[in-house]
C-alpha cells in the first residue's frame, strides 16, 4: 500500500468568510478498468463539496493502494501515471473540507485498516452526533486512534464486531452510530454504500457500461459518462460484488427526511437530488421570494455564483431585467486571503467586481442563496453602492439561518448567526441595504413542490431554520449535562 506521509498543513481561510461549507463528497466504482482515473474524474465533479483535501483508495486484486493529499483533486491526481500509482479495477474516493486553523493529512479520507477478514477502506460524508461518546468508549477499551475523524470510529467498530461476515460486521457497527451520513467502503471483494436512516446526506447509484457506481451527486455520474439508476434509499445498504447488487434494509423503518440545504446551497445546480432538479428548485425559490417580498427596483442582480438560479426565477416572476451586475473572478485562490481588514476588503474586490454599466443609477435587487453571518453581504452591498447604485436591496433565497448544524455543515454557533440575534430591520441596517428580506419556511417547502411543512413530522431536515433537529445530539446532551462545551462540528476536530 502506498500512502502519502503524515504531514501537517495550515489551512488559510478568510476569518470573515460567510459561506457555509459541507464536509465532503464520496465516490466509488467497482470492477471497472481504470478505476482510479474514473474516481478522480468523479471527485473532480464533487470538488464543490470539499476543497481542502482529497483521497483515493484502489484495490488491484492483491492489495490496496491509497493516496491522500491536501488541496484540489486536479492538482493531486493529475498526470498520466495515476493508474500506475493507484492500480486496480475498483476504487473509492473522497473530497473533504476542514475547519479553519489546521488540517492533518491523517484526517483525510479514505481511511484504511487491515482487518481480520482483509483490508477495508471507508469514505464518509456527514457527521456522527455520538462520535465523542463512541470514541471515548473505544479508547477506554484499548483502541488506538491515528486521527480525529469519525470515520475511524466506524472502522474500529467494524474491527471489534463479533459477527462473522464483513457485511454483518458493517451492520453491527452502523447500528451503534447516530447522525447524518452517506458512506462508501471497499473491501477485497465488495463495494458497499450506505445512507443514514433518515437519508439526511445524499447518495446515488449509477451505471457505467454495466458496472455500478456510487456517488454523492448525479453530477459525478455525468462527469464520467455514467447513467443514473436511482437514489440509494434512506436506511439502505447496497452491497456490490461480482454476483451483482444486493439491497439490504438493516435499520428500523423511518420516514425519509433529507437535508433541504442541499437544494439551497450545497448540491451543484446540474444535479438531481432525491428526484428533484436542484436548478429548478432554486429557480422556484427565487419565484416565491419575489411573491413574498418584492419592492420596486430596476434590475435583478445575483450574488455569484450560487445566487444565479434564484435570481433568474425572481426576475422571471416580476418581469424585471436580470443582469450580471457582479462579475466573479474564478482565478483567485487562497494566496490572496490576507490577515487585515483592509486587505480583506481588497480581497473581496479581487473575487467579485461590480459591473458599473449595469449598476450605476439603478435601484438594484441583490439575490443571494443564503446569509450566515453577513460579513460578505455587507461588503457586496457597499461595493454595489460605490459603483453608483441609487438603491441597494438584498433578498435571501433561503429562510433565516437561526440554528447551527451537527450533521456535516460547518456553520457558526448560534450567537454568531446574524438572523438568530437581530430582526430583519436591524439586519438591513447592519448590512447597509435599503431593505432586507428572506424566503419563508413555507415558501421553501413550496419551492420543493412539497406539501406544507408538517411540524409533527417534517418532510425535510431543516433545523438550521426551525431548530427542529431530526435526531438526538448525544455528545452535546452529555456535555451540557456536565456543564462542558461540546465540539460543534465533531468530525472537524483538530489535534489539541
Amino acid at each position: 500500500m502506498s500512502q502519502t506521509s503524515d504531514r501537517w498543513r495550515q489551512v488559510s481561510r478568510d476569518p470573515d468568510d460567510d459561506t457555509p461549507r459541507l464536509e465532503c463528497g464520496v465516490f466509488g466504482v467497482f470492477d471497472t478498468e481504470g478505476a482510479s482515473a474514473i474516481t478522480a474524474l468523479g471527485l473532480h465533479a464533487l470538488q464543490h463539496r470539499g476543497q481542502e483535501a482529497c483521497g483515493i483508495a484502489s484495490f488491484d486484486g492483491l492489495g490496496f493502494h491509497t493516496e491522500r493529499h491536501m488541496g484540489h483533486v486536479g492538482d493531486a491526481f493529475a498526470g498520466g501515471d495515476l493508474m500506475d500509482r493507484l492500480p486496480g479495477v475498483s476504487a473509492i474516493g473522497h473530497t473533504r473540507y476542514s475547519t479553519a486553523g489546521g488540517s492533518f493529512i491523517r484526517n483525510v479520507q479514505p481511511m484504511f485498516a487491515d482487518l481480520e477478514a482483509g483490508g477495508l477502506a471507508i469514505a464518509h460524508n456527514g457527521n456522527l452526533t455520538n462520535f465523542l461518546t463512541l470514541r471515548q468508549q473505544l479508547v477506554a477499551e484499548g483502541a488506538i486512534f491515528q486521527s480525529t475523524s469519525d470515520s475511524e470510529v466506524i472502522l474500529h467498530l467494524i474491527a471489534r464486531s463479533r459477527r462473522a461476515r464483513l457485511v454483518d460486521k458493517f451492520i453491527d457497527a452502523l447500528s451503534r452510530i447516530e447522525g447524518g451520513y452517506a458512506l462508501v467502503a471497499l473491501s477485497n471483494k465488495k463495494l458497499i454504500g450506505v445512507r443514514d436512516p433518515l437519508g439526511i446526506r445524499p447518495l446515488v447509484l449509477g451505471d457505467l457500461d454495466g458496472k455500478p457506481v456510487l456517488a454523492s451527486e448525479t453530477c459525478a455520474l455525468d462527469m464520467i459518462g455514467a447513467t443514473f439508476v436511482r437514489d440509494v434509499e434512506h436506511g439502505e445498504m447496497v452491497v456490490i460484488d461480482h454476483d451483482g447488487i444486493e439491497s439490504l434494509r438493516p435499520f428500523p423503518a423511518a420516514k425519509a427526511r433529507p437535508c433541504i440545504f442541499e437544494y439551497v446551497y450545497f448540491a451543484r445546480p446540474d444535479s438531481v437530488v432525491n428526484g428533484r432538479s436542484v436548478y429548478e428548485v432554486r429557480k422556484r425559490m427565487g419565484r416565491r421570494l419575489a411573491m413574498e417580498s418584492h419592492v420596486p427596483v430596476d434590475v435583478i442582480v445575483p450574488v455569484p455564483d450560487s445566487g444565479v438560479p434564484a435570481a433568474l426565477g425572481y426576475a422571471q416572476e416580476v418581469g424585471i431585467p436580470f443582469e450580471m451586475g457582479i462579475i466573479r473572478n474564478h482565478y483567485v485562490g487562497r494566496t490572496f486571503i490576507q490577515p487585515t481588514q483592509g486587505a480583506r476588503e481588497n480581497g473581496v474586490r479581487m473575487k467579485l467586481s461590480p459591473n458599473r454599466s449595469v449598476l450605476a443609477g439603478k435601484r438594484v435587487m441583490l439575490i443571494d442563496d443564503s446569509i450566515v453571518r453577513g460579513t460578505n453581504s455587507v461588503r457586496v452591498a457597499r461595493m454595489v453602492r460605490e459603483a453608483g447604485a441609487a438603491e441597494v436591496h438584498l433578498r435571501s433565497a433561503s429562510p433565516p439561518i437561526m440554528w447551527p448544524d451537527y450533521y456535516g455543515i460547518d456553520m457558526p454557533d448560534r450567537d454568531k448567526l446574524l438572523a438568530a440575534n437581530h430582526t430583519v430591520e436591524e439586519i438591513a441596517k447592519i448590512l447597509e441595504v435599503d431593505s432586507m428580506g428572506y424566503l419563508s419556511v413555507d415558501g421553501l417547502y413550496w419551492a420543493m413542490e412539497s406539501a406544507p411543512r408538517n411540524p409533527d413530522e417534517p418532510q425535510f431536515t431543516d433545523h438550521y431554520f426551525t431548530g427542529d433537529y431530526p435526531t438526538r445530539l448525544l455528545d452535546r446532551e452529555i456535555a451540557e449535562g456536565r456543564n462542558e462545551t461540546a465540539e460543534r462540528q465533531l468530525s472537524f476536530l483538530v489535534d489539541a
Side-chain angles (χ1 to χ4, degrees):
M1 180 180 72
S2 63
Q3 184 168 303
T4 54
S5 61
D6 186 11
R7 60 187 177 85
W8 178 87
R9 170 176 170 168
Q10 183 75 23
V11 177
S12 300
R13 178 178 176 183
D14 185 342
D16 292 333
D17 190 350
D18 195 37
T19 306
R21 306 295 182 102
L22 191 67
E23 183 191 357
C24 51
V26 296
F27 186 91
V29 62
F30 185 79
D31 191 25
T32 302
E33 290 296 329
S36 58
I38 292 169
T39 299
L41 281 174
L43 293 181
H44 184 76
L46 298 172
Q47 186 74 83
H48 61 288
R49 299 185 71 88
Q51 301 183 43
E52 303 294 349
C54 54
I56 294 176
S58 68
F59 181 71
D60 66 1
L62 297 175
F64 284 84
H65 306 264
T66 72
E67 279 193 23
R68 300 181 294 167
H69 298 272
M70 306 307 299
H72 286 186
V73 176
D75 297 327
F77 297 113
D81 64 340
L82 178 60
M83 288 184 288
D84 295 327
R85 290 152 43 198
L86 295 168
V89 295
S90 297
I92 63 172
H94 188 268
T95 62
R96 181 177 191 266
Y97 164 71
S98 59
T99 51
S103 182
F104 294 82
I105 195 71
R106 57 181 168 270
N107 282 343
V108 180
Q109 300 180 44
M111 295 284 177
F112 176 83
D114 276 311
L115 307 180
E116 183 179 6
L120 181 68
I122 288 182
H124 166 242
N125 169 29
N127 199 59
L128 305 187
T129 54
N130 64 337
F131 162 69
L132 287 178
T133 302
L134 289 174
R135 193 177 193 274
Q136 289 165 1
Q137 292 172 356
L138 289 165
V139 169
E141 294 169 3
I144 299 174
F145 281 79
Q146 301 298 316
S147 76
T148 52
S149 167
D150 46 9
S151 303
E152 192 175 4
V153 163
I154 300 172
L155 279 174
H156 277 283
L157 292 174
I158 294 171
R160 287 167 176 260
S161 173
R162 300 295 186 184
R163 304 288 179 87
R165 298 192 313 145
L166 175 64
V167 170
D168 293 329
K169 289 177 181 288
F170 221 106
I171 293 172
D172 192 24
L174 294 176
S175 69
R176 297 184 60 185
I177 68 177
E178 301 173 10
Y181 58 86
L183 60 86
V184 295
L186 182 65
S187 72
N188 53 8
K189 295 180 180 179
K190 302 178 188 297
L191 174 67
I192 299 173
V194 187
R195 198 172 176 192
D196 67 78
L198 297 178
I200 297 174
R201 300 266 71 89
L203 189 65
V204 298
L205 175 67
D207 180 277
L208 179 62
D209 299 326
K211 304 297 183 179
V213 181
L214 293 168
S216 290
E217 291 184 38
T218 59
C219 63
L221 304 180
D222 297 335
M223 175 67 76
I224 64 170
T227 57
F228 170 75
V229 175
R230 64 177 178 88
D231 288 287
V232 175
E233 297 181 10
H234 62 291
E236 182 184 12
M237 172 186 286
V238 291
V239 181
I240 298 165
D241 58 23
H242 292 288
D243 294 325
I245 302 174
E246 181 182 12
S247 173
L248 304 175
R249 301 304 296 259
F251 307 114
K255 288 188 176 181
R257 197 171 165 183
C259 173
I260 207 166
F261 220 85
E262 291 283 346
Y263 302 92
V264 171
Y265 181 80
F266 290 121
R268 253 178 47 168
D270 55 330
S271 283
V272 176
V273 177
N274 300 307
R276 293 176 174 87
S277 161
V278 174
Y279 178 76
E280 292 300 329
V281 170
R282 289 179 184 167
K283 283 184 67 178
R284 285 176 60 83
M285 289 176 187
R287 284 183 54 202
R288 182 59 181 254
L289 183 62
M291 297 176 196
E292 293 182 351
S293 65
H294 182 59
V295 295
V297 294
D298 302 310
V299 64
I300 310 301
V301 173
V303 178
D305 287 324
S306 53
V308 170
L312 275 170
Y314 192 110
Q316 289 170 2
E317 180 65 28
V318 297
I320 293 174
F322 167 96
E323 299 286 355
M324 296 302 293
I326 301 172
I327 307 302
R328 181 183 172 192
N329 181 355
H330 291 265
Y331 304 100
V332 176
R334 294 187 175 280
T335 305
F336 297 105
I337 295 174
Q338 300 293 338
T340 66
Q341 178 66 23
R344 289 201 295 272
E345 293 286 350
N346 290 333
V348 170
R349 294 180 181 277
M350 298 183 74
K351 296 176 184 177
L352 301 174
S353 301
N355 187 350
R356 295 178 184 275
S357 65
V358 168
L359 303 172
K362 302 289 181 58
R363 296 171 297 174
V364 177
M365 176 63 75
L366 294 174
I367 308 294
D368 208 347
D369 60 88
S370 58
I371 297 169
V372 183
R373 290 185 295 172
T375 49
N376 282 358
S377 300
V378 69
R379 296 176 190 168
V380 170
R382 286 174 184 167
M383 180 178 67
V384 170
R385 203 178 293 277
E386 290 169 2
E391 295 178 12
V392 180
H393 303 268
L394 177 62
R395 296 292 182 270
S396 167
S398 80
I401 296 174
M402 306 280 286
W403 302 86
D405 182 77
Y406 304 99
Y407 303 96
I409 303 173
D410 180 22
M411 287 182 182
D413 289 315
R414 195 157 193 256
D415 61 353
K416 295 182 178 65
L417 293 172
L418 188 65
N421 298 280
H422 299 280
T423 66
V424 174
E425 292 75 18
E426 289 171 341
I427 291 171
K429 293 180 180 179
I430 291 168
L431 300 184
E432 302 176 15
V433 294
D434 294 283
S435 74
M436 176 67 209
Y438 291 89
L439 181 65
S440 66
V441 173
D442 288 341
L444 180 56
Y445 273 65
W446 178 90
M448 296 290 292
E449 297 184 286
S450 168
R453 185 180 191 272
N454 181 348
D456 297 322
E457 290 185 336
Q459 300 93 310
F460 299 96
T461 289
D462 59 9
H463 53 273
Y464 11 77
F465 310 128
T466 65
D468 189 347
Y469 290 91
T471 71
R472 69 171 181 168
L473 305 174
L474 181 61
D475 288 337
R476 294 196 64 80
E477 292 171 5
I478 292 174
E480 289 169 359
R482 297 172 179 170
N483 292 319
E484 296 173 352
T485 301
E487 289 287 345
R488 184 179 54 78
Q489 281 299 127
L490 301 183
S491 64
F492 294 150
L493 291 173
V494 294
D495 289 4

